[in-house]
């Protein structure tokens, strides 16, 4: 280009352009490499985490959640902004390398981008830079003026990172501006020289800047050209090296975080990866006590969090004012890592986390509902970390008072109530029930194809026993040859494991596995989603397991179950998704299909349903734990049902039933709101063929509904 020197040809007062830019490159790249290496130090000292299996599934996660930005539209404004920014960055990647290289090699042309392809690509990047610039301006205005509530940081969780976020957004805006100015000054110079002018996309930022520069002198254009390039270089490398000090580090780490994300839902990480249950006695200490006890993947989570607040916005513990907000579990740990693993000097580590970084209540407040993980666009994990922190506390003998009794009872009697084993099947022995639906105990003398695994709440809680009887009647009605383990069944240990008591869980699991295998059953059915999740994910080598809602849905299809119309057509039903049926096992449609098959039943959805369902407060042994909170989760849930216009809440979990029925009383909604389990409702509405009535010479089969009795 004549009349306007290329950036490399300008000789500033100290060095030639090329030398200066080369120096900036070297400093920037070396600085970035050093910073990243230092950030990797804690990961190298962390616990193992086996995340190198199933590469195709992992690439699929990157494509879905990274490239396709799958979860972002769940928050419309922020999500769409992010999609535009991300798409803009993707388009600008090649351009960024090109711009960096021309500083030291002015005639460089990106392979494949000469001629027409290069022109097309330039048009795309002009618009991309414009879109990213505008998105940055909108994002800054949003952060500073509209201040979405989920970005706020309550005092108890530390300081807000608003200034950091705004600074980084502004830097990206400057980068886009500098890049556009660089193109604009070059095009304006070409125009003034009567040379072929590089085409700029109409109404793009470079195009508008070129119009502004059109009347500038050549020497001014030269200065703008050089200045814009220098600004671009300095901003680019400053951003690169500054990002690992704050929330923008996720730009570098998030694709790795997605690749190494957990592949299985409903599972809990082992105490130590690579250590089998038989060798656990050789593990010095269980769980996470110090920062270095986290796995490297969990540390990568800390680096990858974008501080968007979506996890906390959906966390029921946070919503009811418990001292837990998942976002801060992550950001506090990241700040800790930055502080204790400094860029220069020795790391200062091995401080206990509980009492310093996290409070006990904070960690016990989690119900393991999974709402945070479901929402996180970067697949940051929480449940495993919380369970690991609990394991650490349990290992130190740090058990909340209210949980000591149920845990002892689980150890001695196999149920949290401390009731006798021989009473475990009392629900099935009620005289009236036995006459209509005798239930076999699979004790070696009796055999059946299907095992109904009842679990503790349904077995011992007087109210929940009705769910057990309803389940048995459904299985009987569809002609299932089934039985129960009776006294040989112990608690599934699902809550025990999530509470962090791994040794007790293993004892319960091993006992149940032996009993189930001895029963000879080929299939397991349960009406308790916690037992369902345990049998499916925490136990191994068992026959296939189904939740009763799946059985009912499939028997509806087969025609073995038919429904009578609802008695009261004015009732409005809503379905509450239990966390361990919905989010953890993706069973959303079967229960809804069952409800929709009942003639005359009106059903509405609550504002938070399916994968955004709001936990009733019963998971992770929380039924026996009394946290500090402003309102019960169940009460909030019951109010959501009322707001949706429902007066009957249907659920499919005895834990939910305990909490929701209790919440109806606490909320003063008795008489206005009722709750019923899906199995109970099915049993109530099932169309039965009454016993064959023989009349003189004819055989009549009467159809009747239990509801009509
Ligand atoms: S699992 Fe549920 S209760 Fe626990 S932190 Fe996540 S959203 Fe909150
Ligand atoms: S963990 Fe995920 S959802 Fe929560 S603030 Fe970080 S990026 Fe957002």
């Amino acid at each position: 280009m004549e009349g306007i020197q290329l950036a490399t040809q300008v000789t500033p007062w100290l060095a030639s352009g090329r030398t200066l830019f080369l120096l900036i490159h070297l400093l920037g790249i070396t600085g970035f490499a050093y910073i990243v290496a230092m950030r990797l130090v804690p990961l190298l000292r962390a616990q193992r985490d086996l995340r190198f299996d199933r590469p195709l599934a992992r690439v699929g996660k990157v494509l879905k959640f990274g490239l396709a930005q799958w979860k972002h539209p769940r928050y419309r404004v922020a999500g769409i902004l992010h999609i535009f920014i991300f798409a803009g960055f993707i388009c600008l990647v090649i351009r960024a390398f090109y711009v960096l290289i021309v500083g030291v090699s002015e005639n460089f042309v990106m392979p494949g981008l000469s001629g027409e392809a290069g022109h097309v690509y330039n048009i795309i990047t002009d618009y991309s830079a414009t879109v990213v610039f505008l998105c940055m301006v909108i994002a800054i205005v949003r952060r500073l003026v509209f201040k979405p509530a989920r970005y706020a940081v309550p005092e108890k969780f530390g300081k807000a990172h608003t200034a950091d976020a705004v600074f980084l957004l502004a830097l990206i805006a400057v980068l886009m501006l500098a890049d556009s100015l660089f193109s604009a000054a070059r095009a304006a110079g070409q125009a003034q020289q009567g040379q072929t002018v590089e085409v700029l996309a109409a109404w793009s930022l470079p195009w508008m800047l070129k119009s502004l520069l059109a009347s500038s002198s050549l020497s001014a254009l030269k200065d703008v050209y050089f200045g814009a390039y220098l600004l671009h270089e300095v901003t680019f490398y400053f951003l690169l090296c500054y990002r690992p000090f704050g929330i923008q580090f996720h730009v570098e780490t998030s694709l790795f975080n997605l690749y190494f994300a957990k592949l299985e839902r409903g599972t809990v990480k082992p105490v130590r990866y690579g250590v089998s249950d038989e060798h656990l006695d050789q593990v010095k200490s269980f769980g996470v006590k110090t920062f270095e006890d986290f796995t490297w993947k969990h540390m990568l989570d800390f680096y990858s969090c974008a501080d968007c607040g979506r996890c906390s916005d959906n966390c029921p513990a946070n919503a009811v004012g418990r001292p837990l907000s998942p976002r801060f579990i992550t950001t506090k740990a990241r700040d800790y890592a930055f502080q204790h693993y400094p860029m220069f000097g020795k790391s200062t580590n091995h401080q206990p986390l509980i009492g310093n970084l996290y409070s006990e209540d904070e960690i016990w407040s989690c119900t393991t509902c999974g709402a945070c993980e479901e929402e996180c666009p970067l697949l940051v994990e929480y449940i495993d970390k919380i369970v690991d922190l609990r394991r650490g506390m349990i290992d130190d003998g740090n058990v909340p008072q209210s949980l000591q009794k149920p845990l002892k009872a689980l150890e001695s009697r196999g149920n949290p109530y401390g009731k006798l084993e021989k009473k475990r099947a009392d629900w099935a022995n009620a005289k009236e029930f036995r006459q209509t639906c005798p239930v076999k105990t699979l004790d070696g003398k009796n055999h059946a194809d299907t095992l109904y695994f009842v679990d503790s709440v349904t077995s011992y809680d007087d109210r929940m026993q009705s769910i057990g009887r309803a389940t048995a009647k459904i299985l009987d009605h569809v002609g299932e040859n089934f039985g129960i383990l009776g006294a040989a069944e112990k608690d599934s240990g699902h809550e025990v494991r999530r509470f962090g008591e791994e040794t007790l869980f293993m004892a319960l699991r091993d006992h149940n596995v032996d009993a189930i295998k001895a029963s000879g059953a080929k299939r397991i059915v349960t009406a308790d989603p916690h037992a369902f999740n345990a049998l499916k994910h925490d136990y191994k080598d068992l026959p296939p397991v189904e939740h009763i809602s799946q059985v009912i849905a499939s028997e509806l299809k087969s025609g073995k179950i038919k429904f009578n119309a609802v008695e009261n057509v004015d009732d409005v039903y809503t379905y509450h998704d239990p966390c361990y049926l919905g989010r953890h096992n993706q069973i959303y449609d079967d229960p809804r299909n069952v409800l929709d098959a009942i003639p005359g039943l009106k059903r509405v959805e609550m504002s938070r349903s399916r994968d955004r369902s709001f936990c009733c407060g019963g998971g992770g042994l929380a039924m026996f734990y009394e946290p500090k909170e402003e309102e019960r989760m169940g009460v909030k849930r019951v109010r959501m049902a009322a707001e949706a216009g429902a007066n009957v809440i249907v659920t499919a979990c005895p834990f939910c039933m305990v909490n929701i029925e209790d919440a109806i009383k606490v909320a003063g909604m008795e008489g206005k709101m009722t709750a019923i389990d899906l199995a109970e409702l099915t049993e109530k509405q099932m169309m039965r063929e009454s016993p064959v009535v023989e009349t003189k010479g004819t055989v009549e089969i009467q159809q009747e509904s239990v509801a009509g009795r």
Side-chain angles (χ1 to χ4, degrees):
M1 183 194 314
E2 277 179 56
I4 177 165
Q5 290 171 288
L6 286 178
T8 54
Q9 295 166 339
V10 176
T11 306
W13 59 275
L14 194 57
S16 76
R18 181 178 283 125
T19 312
L20 176 67
F21 299 137
L22 199 57
L23 197 66
I24 294 174
H25 284 333
L26 285 175
L27 277 176
I29 293 166
T30 314
F32 178 67
Y34 176 77
I35 292 164
V36 169
M38 294 311 286
R39 286 286 179 251
L40 286 175
V41 171
L43 271 70
L44 296 173
R45 293 189 190 168
Q47 292 293 329
R48 290 177 78 188
D49 204 331
L50 304 181
R51 308 262 185 159
F52 297 93
D53 58 336
R54 297 160 66 185
L56 282 181
R58 295 186 178 284
V59 169
K61 288 236 170 204
V62 175
L63 294 177
K64 181 175 175 181
F65 297 105
L67 278 187
Q69 300 273 286
W70 197 257
K71 293 205 176 176
H72 280 278
R74 290 165 75 97
Y75 278 74
R76 209 160 297 155
V77 178
I80 289 170
L81 265 183
H82 195 275
I83 290 170
F84 275 122
I85 295 168
F86 181 77
F89 275 151
I90 294 286
C91 295
L92 287 165
V93 167
I94 299 171
R95 159 103 188 151
F97 281 110
Y98 161 75
V99 174
L100 293 176
I101 294 167
V102 290
V104 289
S105 174
E106 63 271 23
N107 295 320
F108 175 76
V109 177
M110 254 310 157
L113 288 182
S114 57
E116 205 49 39
H119 291 313
V120 173
Y121 180 65
N122 284 344
I123 299 280
I124 293 170
T125 53
D126 287 349
Y127 284 128
S128 299
T130 312
V131 167
V132 173
F133 177 78
L134 288 175
C135 287
M136 291 301 136
V137 174
I138 296 168
I140 292 171
V141 172
R142 248 182 114 241
R143 284 256 178 190
L144 292 178
V145 182
F146 297 103
K147 297 181 183 166
R150 70 173 193 279
Y151 294 148
V153 180
E155 222 178 289
K156 61 184 172 187
F157 293 121
K159 281 189 272 167
H161 294 90
T162 315
D164 184 38
V166 169
F167 180 57
L168 281 155
L169 292 170
L171 278 179
I172 297 170
V174 168
L175 189 70
M176 295 302 116
L177 198 60
D179 189 358
S180 302
L181 201 55
F182 174 66
S183 301
R186 183 168 55 196
Q190 286 166 339
Q192 284 205 12
Q193 295 300 297
Q195 298 170 351
T196 315
V197 181
E198 196 173 294
V199 179
L200 299 178
W203 297 104
S204 67
L205 194 55
W207 184 89
M208 286 187 272
L209 290 170
K210 184 193 153 222
S211 306
L212 280 178
L213 295 172
S215 55
S216 305
S217 66
L218 271 181
S219 88
L221 286 177
K222 184 186 80 177
D223 291 344
V224 171
Y225 184 65
F226 179 77
Y229 188 83
L230 188 61
L231 182 64
H232 181 275
E233 292 289 277
V234 172
T235 311
F236 179 88
Y237 282 114
F238 181 77
L239 249 178
L240 196 66
C241 295
Y242 183 72
R243 276 202 303 238
F245 291 87
I247 58 170
Q248 284 280 338
F249 198 20
H250 81 269
V251 175
E252 273 82 25
T253 60
S254 53
L255 290 184
F256 295 101
N257 208 51
L258 294 174
Y259 182 84
F260 292 116
K262 194 169 178 172
L263 295 177
E264 307 293 350
R265 287 173 180 267
T267 55
V268 171
K269 76 175 270 295
V271 172
R272 288 274 182 265
Y273 279 101
V275 180
S276 64
D277 288 355
E278 298 76 47
H279 295 104
L280 270 185
D281 50 349
Q282 290 163 18
V283 172
K284 267 198 226 137
S285 98
F286 276 28
V288 166
K289 294 178 185 172
T290 67
F291 185 73
E292 292 67 29
D293 292 331
F294 282 120
T295 72
W296 62 263
K297 169 60 176 65
H298 289 169
M299 291 187 188
L300 190 63
D301 275 350
F302 299 145
Y303 288 166
S304 303
C305 169
D307 207 14
C308 68
R310 295 174 186 213
C311 49
S312 294
D313 201 30
N314 285 274
C315 171
N318 184 40
V320 297
R322 290 189 186 185
L324 167 67
S325 179
R327 166 191 173 199
F328 301 110
I329 295 279
T330 295
T331 54
K332 284 194 288 183
R334 181 178 54 210
D335 291 349
Y336 180 97
F338 290 177
Q339 196 187 341
H340 290 261
Y341 285 89
M343 282 297 134
F344 304 102
K346 270 189 165 181
S347 58
T348 49
N349 43 13
H350 298 302
Q351 272 190 14
L353 293 178
I354 301 294
N356 289 310
L357 198 65
Y358 305 126
S359 74
E360 289 177 24
D361 265 359
E362 189 175 0
I363 302 306
W364 294 123
S365 286
C366 174
T367 64
T368 71
C369 73
C372 49
E373 298 187 357
E374 188 69 43
E375 207 62 47
C376 179
L378 297 168
L379 308 187
V380 168
E381 294 156 22
Y382 281 102
I383 296 173
D384 280 350
K385 291 185 194 116
I386 285 171
V387 168
D388 250 350
L389 283 158
R390 290 174 174 178
R391 283 172 178 160
M393 283 195 272
I394 298 272
D395 199 45
D396 286 343
N398 198 350
V399 183
Q401 188 72 29
S402 62
L403 283 161
Q404 289 178 8
K405 217 172 141 193
L407 280 174
K408 277 211 180 88
L410 278 157
E411 207 173 324
S412 57
R413 301 249 79 106
N415 70 81
Y417 308 99
K419 297 198 176 172
L420 295 175
E421 291 88 331
K422 65 179 182 190
K423 291 190 167 292
R424 202 168 179 101
D426 277 5
W427 62 271
N429 293 327
K431 200 175 158 201
E432 233 176 82
F433 171 74
R434 245 192 119 67
Q435 281 168 354
T436 54
C437 181
V439 177
K440 281 190 276 192
T441 301
L442 309 183
D443 50 8
K445 288 178 225 138
N446 295 313
H447 298 280
D449 295 335
T450 299
L451 168 70
Y452 168 29
F453 192 94
V454 190
D455 218 350
S456 299
V457 182
T458 312
S459 296
Y460 289 111
D461 185 295
D462 291 345
R463 160 66 184 88
M464 300 314 136
Q465 288 179 347
S466 149
I467 298 175
R469 287 191 280 269
T471 306
K473 282 190 183 176
I474 294 166
L475 292 174
D476 184 53
H477 177 81
V478 300
E480 199 66 52
N481 175 16
F482 77 101
I484 56 172
L485 293 175
E489 180 190 289
K490 282 188 190 282
D491 191 278
S492 65
H494 185 265
E495 308 317 298
V496 174
R497 188 171 206 205
R498 276 132 195 98
F499 173 75
E501 245 294 16
E502 188 73 10
T503 320
L504 177 54
F505 160 73
M506 289 191 311
L508 294 166
R509 178 199 60 193
D510 293 348
H511 171 92
N512 282 328
V513 168
D514 290 346
I516 292 169
K517 284 188 174 163
S519 76
K522 296 182 190 71
R523 171 198 188 208
I524 308 172
V525 171
T526 179
D528 183 334
H530 298 251
F532 174 70
N533 194 64
L535 296 166
K536 206 164 170 201
H537 300 296
D538 295 336
Y539 289 31
K540 281 199 179 70
D541 306 325
L542 287 185
V545 53
E546 277 177 83
H547 184 259
I548 190 68
S549 59
Q550 296 175 293
V551 177
I552 303 168
S554 104
E555 296 299 359
L556 265 173
K557 278 191 199 140
S558 76
K560 283 189 188 166
I561 291 181
K562 289 193 174 75
F563 287 130
N564 289 300
V566 280
E567 271 178 89
N568 188 350
V569 288
D570 294 331
D571 281 340
V572 180
Y573 291 71
T574 191
Y575 176 67
H576 162 77
D577 292 274
C579 306
Y580 277 97
L581 199 59
R583 265 190 298 268
H584 290 290
N585 284 291
Q586 304 285 286
I587 299 174
Y588 299 116
D589 291 329
D590 283 342
R592 286 176 171 80
N593 291 343
V594 172
L595 292 179
D596 293 344
I598 300 175
L601 185 143
K602 280 201 262 329
R603 183 173 70 82
V604 290
E605 285 288 0
M606 286 184 265
S607 55
R608 291 193 54 175
S609 62
R610 301 179 77 94
D611 62 0
R612 269 192 170 155
S613 180
F614 189 86
C615 177
C616 70
L621 269 193
M623 222 161 73
F624 301 94
Y625 178 62
E626 282 157 22
K628 291 181 206 123
E629 57 190 5
E630 288 152 16
E631 191 180 23
R632 287 194 197 180
M633 288 181 196
V635 171
K636 235 185 170 40
R637 191 55 168 160
V638 167
R639 296 224 166 93
M640 286 181 202
E643 276 160 27
N647 67 327
V648 184
I649 302 173
V650 183
T651 186
C653 168
F655 284 79
C656 295
M657 187 57 74
V658 171
N659 281 288
I660 288 173
E661 285 198 332
D662 199 36
I664 291 172
K665 287 184 206 139
V666 174
M669 291 169 79
E670 278 173 294
K672 292 183 207 144
M673 182 75 76
T674 53
I676 189 165
D677 189 89
L678 189 79
E680 293 174 321
L681 182 65
T682 300
E683 193 268 333
K684 183 179 163 199
Q685 296 295 138
M686 251 171 7
M687 204 180 265
R688 288 174 164 83
E689 289 174 354
S690 71
V692 176
V693 178
E694 294 213 20
T695 53
K696 286 176 200 163
T698 60
V699 175
E700 252 179 50
I701 294 177
Q702 294 179 345
Q703 299 244 301
E704 64 170 358
S705 148
V706 174
R709 280 179 197 169

